[in-house]
Amino acid sequence: MSTTTTYRTCPRSGLQFESQAEKLMIANAVAAVVFLLIGGILAVGVVLTRWPAVHWLQADTFYQVLTAHGIDMLIFWIIFFEIAVLYFCSSTLLRCRLATPRIAWLAFALMLIGAVTNNVAVYQGSSSVMMTSYVPMMAAPAFYLGLILFAVGALIGCFVFLGTLVIAKRDKTYQGSVPLVTFGAVVACIIAVFTITSGAIILIPTFLMSVGIVKEVDPLVYRTIWWAFGHSSQQINVAAHISIWYAIAAIAFGAKPMSERVSRGAFLLYILFLQLASAHHLLADPGLSTAWKVVNTSYFMYFAVLASMIHGLTIPGAIEVAQRQKGYTKGLFEWLRKAPWGNPVFSGMFISLIGFGFLGGISGVMMGTEQLNMIIHNTIYVPGHFHATVVVGTTLSFMALTYFLIPVLFRREMINPGLAKLQPYLFGLSMYFFCLVMMGAGTLGVSRRHWDMAFSGSAMAYEWPGAAYLMMGLVGIAGIAAITGGAIYIYITVGSILWGKRLDKGAESAKFTPIPPTAPSAVVQSYGSMGFAAPGTFALAMVFLVAFVLYYFINWKYLSTLWGMS
Amino acid sequence: MSAILPPSERLWWKHPLDRVEGTWIAIALVWCLIMFAMMVGWHVYGKQNLSTETYRTKPDMFAAKAQAVVDKYTVRTETDDKIPVVHPPEGSDVYLIARLWAWWPILELEKGKTYRLHLTSMDYNHGFSLQPANINIQVVPGYEHVVTVTPNQAGSFSVVCNEYCGINHHTMVSRLYVK
């Protein structure tokens, strides 16, 4: 069973890479970046069409481009990268060989074939059904088939990850519990298995409907189960990018989790409650009872919100504690001022964390509140929200991690480090602005997935307020700035891999080196002030809470002015 | 030593938590409970709650009911397509059909009066988006959703479709008057 493999110890990070796992990580990461590139090119079409003054593409092309942009970004880019992260969190962090590398290659092949099949179906033109593909609107059979193949591949990848954990345990490559980052990856993987199964339950009958075997899939049942897939897939991202934040805090600062119990407990809340939050997509739907909506989105979803609020404190808190131990103890914020803002690995991660919490988190709770959903449902507020979670949160964290992986995994010196320094700021901050103005336009009612806000060709066109046009123009400008930031990322990544100076491999051995047991560390309470290990982080958390509370009640105030409805 | 290494304490659930974490968890939990109470409380004290009254329906069944109301209460027609404008009495059942790519008929309601608005789609999913009031409701084929509405301002409103429904989605917009 034991195939011949080698383990190399990276001289720059001390991480140990198994050769099979390393090749698979590289393949998955490269495929991810290719789909990010495709999705980014498509984004130009989306942004320049929704910018009212430009209104570039024709309606049919626009919807086609929007469908492909959504799927390439939300599914293909992110999940390919996540598979690489899963292999990294198991084989590399636990210093063991990857389970069944041949099957892992099969998973990769299925995902690639599926992604290409789906893309081809969309470009052929009869599958402009958006990512959600609500029945009874039908796409070509290849559209669903591509998604199913991709999902099967991703599911196999999840099981390879789980198998690798078993190998590490059996070979005793570590003692005690797995690292927190691996723990987070396990959570992501468990959510992924649930997600992909939901996807299969609904996409397989829909595929059979598209080829004429199944007569009908109920539209409301489709929406309910599709969202168990569509929303939960974003929870994989949350678990994955929060693991990456912890990893980057550890890499950039040697930060230790403040409390393993708290951080892991918060991850466990994700497994139990995050998927149920998918119910918030159905708050404006007929046929679902109030009790069902409230229980799922309020009672259950808030446990997931609680978990995110905990991570939002513990990650910067861990950084603060590490910085204070290094002597940056002046005032509340010296630790933050003296952070390595010029290192894109850190700056990307921190911009991601703040944006995810303030923009993505708060807006997500608004949409997930049963009554407030009525002023948000299907407006462009919704893409405003999920660009803050998925782009600022997930994509930017992946970008930050890439800057770490270029020398470590790809063994190349980064080309143009000056540009890399700038990239997280350009991309992250223009995305902040992009999300804000989108939410602004959504608050004025502007529809999402809409080709022409001027309603050309209609006898009863509605005239949006001038502010809505202004906001959508700003969406266009911010979008182009963010796309430029994305293009810089691709240039640096691809350029470094192709032309970057080769770095040495480090010592190779035929056997793994187990992780030495770590000595119990000093008690964190010996630093900080007011009995708090991380007073600065607590102050930031209070700012967050105040913003959250104010914005929450402003929305209720707005709601209370609407027509009476019961 | 760090989050990428196994914890030094073998049993992670015995790792103590810092005061800053405990305090924040308590604050966050209280806030989550307040939000929970708001959502439930609004059902009791608030005036804007989406109805859950729903029936299964078929396009011809729904169309027949809508036609009956149109025959009875049409006050005039608008546009070249002669779309009927329906002025129903207070408290009555009003039907609004969503289909590719139009809303039918046009409704004329009165301020401060209550109506039972029935929504369904004849084909794909559509989105009822009342502007500029900004009330948004999903319209799902096969399901008749009965929403009780009480307009609180007079004027000319627009009903925009905000669920993607194909190539002419952007032309699917109608009016709704409140006197």
Side-chain angles (χ1 to χ4, degrees):
Chain A
M1 161 101 189
S2 72
T3 40
T4 49
T5 185
T6 55
Y7 300 83
R8 79 172 175 90
T9 302
C10 166
R12 289 162 292 280
S13 60
L15 293 169
Q16 181 181 284
F17 289 95
E18 190 244 353
S19 63
Q20 291 289 343
E22 189 170 23
K23 287 189 197 106
L24 277 155
M25 280 183 243
I26 291 175
N28 280 285
V30 167
V33 172
V34 169
F35 281 99
L36 179 69
L37 172 65
I38 299 172
I41 294 168
L42 296 164
V44 178
V46 177
V47 161
L48 289 184
T49 307
R50 291 235 57 172
W51 185 344
V54 181
H55 206 238
W56 180 38
L57 299 174
Q58 289 305 302
D60 54 347
T61 323
F62 170 73
Y63 291 127
Q64 197 178 355
V65 161
L66 185 55
T67 303
H69 168 73
I71 297 176
D72 282 341
M73 292 303 212
L74 278 168
I75 301 185
F76 302 145
W77 140 248
I78 283 175
I79 293 184
F80 269 120
F81 201 94
E82 272 161 0
I83 294 290
V85 169
L86 286 186
Y87 295 162
F88 178 84
C89 290
S90 52
S91 165
T92 307
L93 291 185
L94 298 178
R95 300 198 186 175
C96 68
R97 70 177 173 84
L98 191 79
T100 60
R102 282 213 189 95
I103 294 180
W105 281 112
L106 171 73
F108 176 73
L110 279 175
M111 287 168 72
L112 195 60
I113 294 167
V116 171
T117 307
N118 177 277
N119 264 267
V120 170
V122 175
Y123 301 134
Q124 279 172 343
S126 53
S127 301
S128 301
V129 293
M130 302 294 134
M131 183 179 137
T132 46
S133 57
Y134 293 136
V135 296
M137 184 184 277
M138 293 308 286
F143 176 90
Y144 306 105
L145 189 64
L147 285 178
I148 292 167
L149 288 177
F150 182 85
V152 171
L155 194 59
I156 295 173
C158 288
F159 284 110
V160 169
F161 164 75
L162 294 173
T164 307
L165 296 181
V166 173
I167 289 180
K169 192 89 198 160
R170 192 194 60 199
D171 293 352
K172 299 198 171 51
T173 60
Y174 67 97
Q175 293 172 16
S177 311
V178 296
L180 176 60
V181 173
T182 309
F183 191 88
V186 176
V187 168
C189 173
I190 292 171
I191 299 175
V193 171
F194 168 88
T195 301
I196 295 168
T197 313
S198 308
I201 290 173
I202 201 61
L203 286 176
I204 292 173
T206 310
F207 167 68
L208 294 175
M209 185 176 159
S210 73
V211 292
I213 296 173
V214 167
K215 224 178 117 242
E216 200 201 350
V217 174
D218 184 88
L220 196 57
V221 171
Y222 179 93
R223 287 173 59 82
T224 309
I225 303 178
W226 194 90
W227 279 113
F229 160 70
H231 191 82
S232 307
S233 66
Q234 307 318 310
Q235 310 313 337
I236 312 172
N237 304 342
V238 173
H241 76 231
I242 287 181
S243 303
I244 291 174
W245 292 346
Y246 277 112
I248 289 176
I251 291 162
F253 299 93
K256 172 190 183 307
M258 298 175 79
S259 159
E260 294 279 352
R261 177 164 57 170
V262 170
S263 298
R264 288 176 200 233
F267 270 125
L268 289 178
L269 285 178
Y270 278 165
I271 300 187
L272 293 172
F273 298 110
L274 257 188
Q275 302 92 318
L276 301 163
S278 70
H280 77 250
H281 290 270
L282 310 166
L283 291 176
D285 280 30
L288 301 163
S289 76
T290 301
W292 187 87
K293 289 175 180 174
V294 170
V295 165
N296 278 287
T297 62
S298 173
Y299 179 61
F300 289 141
M301 194 179 93
Y302 290 158
F303 275 113
V305 169
L306 179 68
S308 290
M309 286 172 78
I310 293 172
H311 289 303
L313 176 93
T314 58
I315 297 168
I319 294 175
E320 179 172 355
V321 170
Q323 288 282 79
R324 284 179 185 273
Q325 281 172 341
K326 283 181 200 142
Y328 300 119
T329 52
K330 251 185 268 153
L332 275 181
F333 296 115
E334 194 194 14
W335 63 275
L336 192 57
R337 277 202 312 278
K338 297 283 170 66
W341 292 103
N343 176 356
V345 180
F346 166 74
S347 65
M349 170 259 168
F350 208 80
I351 293 169
S352 165
L353 186 148
I354 297 291
F356 180 78
F358 277 85
L359 299 172
I362 295 178
S363 63
V365 171
M366 300 311 135
M367 301 197 310
T369 304
E370 194 200 354
Q371 295 90 345
L372 296 181
N373 186 269
M374 280 191 288
I375 52 178
I376 296 173
H377 182 72
N378 271 351
T379 66
I380 204 157
Y381 190 100
V382 179
H385 155 75
F386 71 68
H387 280 80
T389 55
V390 178
V391 184
V392 175
T394 310
T395 296
L396 186 53
S397 318
F398 288 0
M399 287 174 170
L401 185 70
T402 313
Y403 293 127
F404 169 72
L405 291 177
I406 288 173
V408 170
L409 173 66
F410 293 92
R411 303 197 303 269
R412 298 289 181 140
E413 198 166 89
M414 203 193 295
I415 58 162
N416 214 331
L419 203 55
K421 212 183 247 189
L422 186 80
Q423 192 272 339
Y425 294 95
L426 174 63
F427 184 73
L429 300 181
S430 51
M431 254 359 258
Y432 278 20
F433 189 66
F434 177 83
C435 297
L436 273 175
V437 282
M438 248 189 184
M439 290 179 208
T443 305
L444 295 169
V446 177
S447 317
R448 69 185 290 202
R449 296 173 166 178
H450 201 277
W451 173 64
D452 183 16
M453 66 191 288
F455 306 97
S456 57
S458 169
M460 296 182 284
Y462 170 60
E463 179 77 31
W464 293 101
Y469 275 92
L470 174 68
M471 295 276 187
M472 290 309 292
L474 294 173
V475 166
I477 294 166
I480 291 299
I483 291 167
T484 312
I488 294 174
Y489 165 79
I490 293 195
Y491 161 71
I492 294 169
T493 311
V494 176
S496 300
I497 294 170
L498 293 180
W499 318 297
K501 201 180 120 211
R502 270 175 209 280
L503 298 171
D504 63 326
K505 256 181 136 162
E508 272 183 279
S509 99
K511 210 186 162 309
F512 59 82
T513 324
I515 307 169
T518 35
S521 49
V523 186
V524 288
Q525 279 88 340
S526 52
Y527 301 90
S529 61
M530 298 177 286
F532 282 180
T537 302
F538 190 75
L540 287 177
M542 294 316 287
V543 171
F544 171 77
L545 187 71
V546 169
F548 196 165
V549 172
L550 283 178
Y551 186 62
Y552 182 72
F553 285 110
I554 286 170
N555 274 289
W556 281 105
K557 177 84 189 114
Y558 173 20
L559 180 80
S560 71
T561 63
L562 293 193
W563 291 17
M565 296 174 70
S566 60
Chain B
M1 168 213 131
S2 79
I4 56 172
L5 289 174
S8 47
E9 297 80 0
R10 282 186 67 91
L11 301 175
W12 58 262
W13 58 88
K14 292 200 172 163
H15 199 169
L17 69 164
D18 184 75
R19 196 157 142 198
V20 69
E21 290 176 303
T23 313
W24 177 244
I25 292 170
I27 293 172
L29 188 63
V30 168
W31 172 236
C32 287
L33 289 171
I34 292 172
M35 292 196 294
F36 174 62
M38 273 306 289
M39 207 192 286
V40 177
W42 201 264
H43 277 282
V44 183
Y45 304 105
K47 290 204 175 65
Q48 294 79 15
N49 289 291
L50 185 61
S51 141
T52 55
E53 189 180 343
T54 307
Y55 305 95
R56 280 195 176 274
T57 189
K58 296 224 176 310
D60 47 349
M61 247 165 73
F62 192 88
K65 289 194 278 186
Q67 190 63 52
V69 173
V70 167
D71 291 344
K72 228 165 147 184
Y73 300 116
T74 297
V75 287
R76 60 178 185 279
T77 60
E78 282 193 8
T79 76
D80 299 342
D81 297 332
K82 305 248 180 302
I83 304 170
V85 178
V86 176
H87 189 115
E90 180 179 7
S92 66
D93 290 275
V94 191
Y95 296 84
L96 182 61
I97 291 175
R99 64 177 171 223
L100 300 174
W101 285 283
W103 299 95
W104 191 88
I106 295 172
L107 305 177
E108 191 175 84
L109 310 177
E110 286 179 39
K111 185 182 157 182
K113 295 189 175 166
T114 300
Y115 304 86
R116 282 166 53 80
L117 175 62
H118 296 239
L119 295 167
T120 200
S121 160
M122 300 281 120
D123 32 59
Y124 295 163
N125 274 265
H126 293 288
F128 173 90
S129 178
L130 186 76
Q131 297 299 339
N134 202 15
I135 294 170
N136 304 280
I137 301 167
Q138 187 76 21
V139 184
V140 182
Y143 292 86
E144 180 173 342
H145 192 183
V146 188
V147 186
T148 309
V149 294
T150 314
N152 63 356
Q153 59 207 131
S156 173
F157 293 85
S158 285
V159 181
V160 175
C161 175
N162 73 356
E163 180 61 78
Y164 169 68
C165 57
I167 188 73
N168 282 331
H169 171 44
H170 65 278
T171 62
M172 186 167 168
V173 51
S174 177
R175 284 188 203 129
L176 190 153
Y177 300 103
V178 179
K179 294 238 159 176

